[in-house]
Amino acid sequence: MQSHPGLFRIALTSGWFLPVFAALAFAPVVVGISTYFEPDWAPHRPLMVFLQWALVVYFVGLIAAKKLTVVKPGLWVLLAAAVLVGVWVASAQLNAVSKYWVNYYLARNFAILLIGWFVYSTFVKRAGEHKRALIAALLAGSTLHILLSIVVIGVEAGNPDYDWKNFYVGVSHTRHLSYRAMIQIALAAGLFATSKEGRERWAFAAALMLGLYFACLVGGRSVIVIGTLVAIACALLGTPELRRKNLPLVVAMAVAAVPLSMIYVPPDPHWGVIRLQLGYYGQSGEGEVAQGRVILWKRALGQIPAHPWIGYGEGQFRLLADVKWRVHHPHSSPLQFLVAWGVIGTLAAFALFANAVFAGFKSILAKRETVLAPAALVVGLGTVSLIDGPFFYAYPAMVFVIACAMIKAAADQPSA
């Protein structure tokens, strides 16, 4: 998204890091296009995992060429990461029902963890403008994917045979589009609230409006509420002299998003802000309402005692849950992690990311221009994950880890 000449020029002149900016900006739309034409790729999106490992290989090449020096993690971070990886390997070898899928998710998670480490190493000593350029690249990725989704909606609007429930544009169910909306809202709100220059402010305001509109269009009940609250919080925590302008504008955009999203809604009950009402009355489909989540939570709790310490490995819940609808995770990140990684792995993951988050939140006001947007994403996506499953999927999980790395990088760099 070429929203701000300064940030765009920084990206173009970033030398060896330019391919990383490009990958983050274009990977979601590339995966979206590929799965639209090849729906069989959608459930596990192998192209996204391939691109993630391509990034890892590229970073390793930079390290070998001595263009990037990796920063050694602190003792507790290193210990937590080592324990987490150890649990991943042990659960995959000892307890997994499907060796194929557990190894697939093991490779994916390991790539995401390495990307987070390399991003931190790259940006811990870089200026705030470079950090904001990376955040803008992530926002470009979600923006392009949302725009692609809107184009597909327009193209397929008159097609009675189109699969609106699964959609297959970078996702395998329309519910997953709400994760993109949450990423869009959080990053755009954080960048908008800390932007002073006119062109930049209005570009990020437009991106925020797009995210709020898309959340209503796809009917993500939790994201509509949580996203709106996150956007308001960003307006309150943003640049102090602009709060009186930002807050009413954000509220106005949230209100306007509802009628705008109703101009055209795909002909399927999984779409549209009307799901806010239908869901509460149990009319939005089996497995989608709160009662469906309670069933999944009970299934997860019933599976944990068999392997409480290291879990079954990632990607196994769908083989363990005895329910009538297709489900890959228990729609709760704590339960998802306990089933997959057990108590030891879950505590290690919490310790690993809490280290970054707590350090960043201590500096959120002093370094709001580089911390607010990724902090908003961590809070927004993390809150959504308590009743949904964004971390089961490669792209939201990667963006979350990068946000944590950016928070930690900003916190660890001394103020000028």
Side-chain angles (χ1 to χ4, degrees), residues 19-355:
V20 179
F21 281 117
L24 295 177
F26 292 105
V29 73
V30 170
V31 173
I33 293 172
S34 69
T35 52
Y36 174 63
F37 289 106
E38 294 290 343
D40 290 341
W41 293 1
H44 300 287
R45 296 178 275 289
L47 184 56
M48 178 61 74
V49 179
F50 171 81
L51 292 172
Q52 289 171 336
W53 271 105
L55 273 179
V56 171
V57 171
Y58 181 72
F59 274 119
V60 171
L62 294 175
I63 295 168
K66 297 183 178 180
K67 293 184 178 180
L68 172 64
T69 301
V70 293
V71 176
K72 183 179 178 181
L75 177 61
W76 288 108
V77 173
L78 188 62
L79 179 61
V83 170
L84 184 58
V85 172
V87 167
W88 288 349
V89 174
S91 61
Q93 298 304 314
L94 299 176
N95 300 333
V97 178
S98 170
K99 297 295 184 183
Y100 175 83
W101 287 120
V102 79
N103 288 327
Y104 168 87
Y105 286 106
L106 175 63
R108 186 202 71 181
N109 291 346
F110 193 41
I112 292 172
L113 196 62
L114 287 173
I115 289 172
W117 180 24
F118 295 147
V119 167
Y120 169 79
S121 297
T122 301
F123 284 90
V124 70
K125 295 182 180 180
R126 291 200 170 209
E129 292 80 4
H130 291 93
K131 295 182 177 69
R132 283 179 67 86
L134 180 65
I135 298 168
L138 291 174
L139 177 60
S142 63
T143 298
L144 290 174
H145 183 261
I146 290 174
L147 293 176
L148 172 65
S149 300
I150 293 173
V151 169
V152 171
I153 291 171
V155 170
E156 302 291 349
N159 182 0
D161 299 323
Y162 191 68
D163 188 350
W164 292 107
K165 177 181 177 181
N166 294 312
F167 199 54
Y168 293 144
V169 181
V171 296
S172 55
H173 195 290
T174 183
R175 292 278 58 74
H176 307 160
L177 293 171
S178 64
Y179 310 153
R180 299 297 201 273
M182 186 69 253
I183 293 170
Q184 179 82 4
I185 292 169
L187 294 180
L191 289 170
F192 168 67
T194 53
S195 297
K196 298 180 181 180
E197 191 267 330
R199 185 182 300 176
E200 178 183 86
R201 275 176 52 78
W202 291 115
F204 291 140
L208 176 57
M209 184 71 241
L210 178 65
L212 293 167
Y213 156 80
F214 197 63
C216 294
L217 178 64
V218 301
R221 290 164 289 176
S222 60
V223 170
I224 293 172
V225 176
I226 295 168
T228 300
L229 293 176
V230 165
I232 291 173
C234 285
L236 293 172
L237 294 173
T239 305
E241 57 268 28
L242 295 175
R243 287 173 188 168
R244 291 185 178 181
K245 295 181 179 180
N246 290 346
L247 182 57
L249 183 57
V250 168
V251 173
M253 285 192 287
V255 172
V258 176
L260 285 175
S261 70
M262 299 175 71
I263 294 175
Y264 176 79
V265 180
D268 185 276
H270 292 86
W271 289 78
V273 73
I274 192 66
R275 291 190 72 253
L276 284 169
Q277 177 181 349
L278 295 180
Y280 291 131
Y281 291 99
Q283 299 174 21
S284 60
E286 184 181 28
E288 294 294 330
V289 297
Q291 292 90 334
R293 280 175 167 76
V294 171
I295 292 173
L296 298 179
W297 296 341
K298 289 180 178 178
R299 294 289 192 275
L301 290 171
Q303 296 298 330
I304 292 170
H307 297 293
W309 300 114
I310 61 172
Y312 295 83
E314 193 78 62
Q316 306 302 295
F317 181 75
R318 66 189 182 92
L319 304 174
L320 301 170
D322 182 19
V323 294
K324 297 179 181 179
W325 63 94
R326 184 185 69 183
V327 62
H328 294 286
H329 50 79
H331 288 69
S332 169
S333 57
L335 291 177
Q336 175 187 330
F337 297 154
L338 286 170
V339 171
W341 309 333
V343 173
I344 297 175
T346 300
L347 290 177
F350 177 81
L352 180 62
F353 295 111
N355 177 273

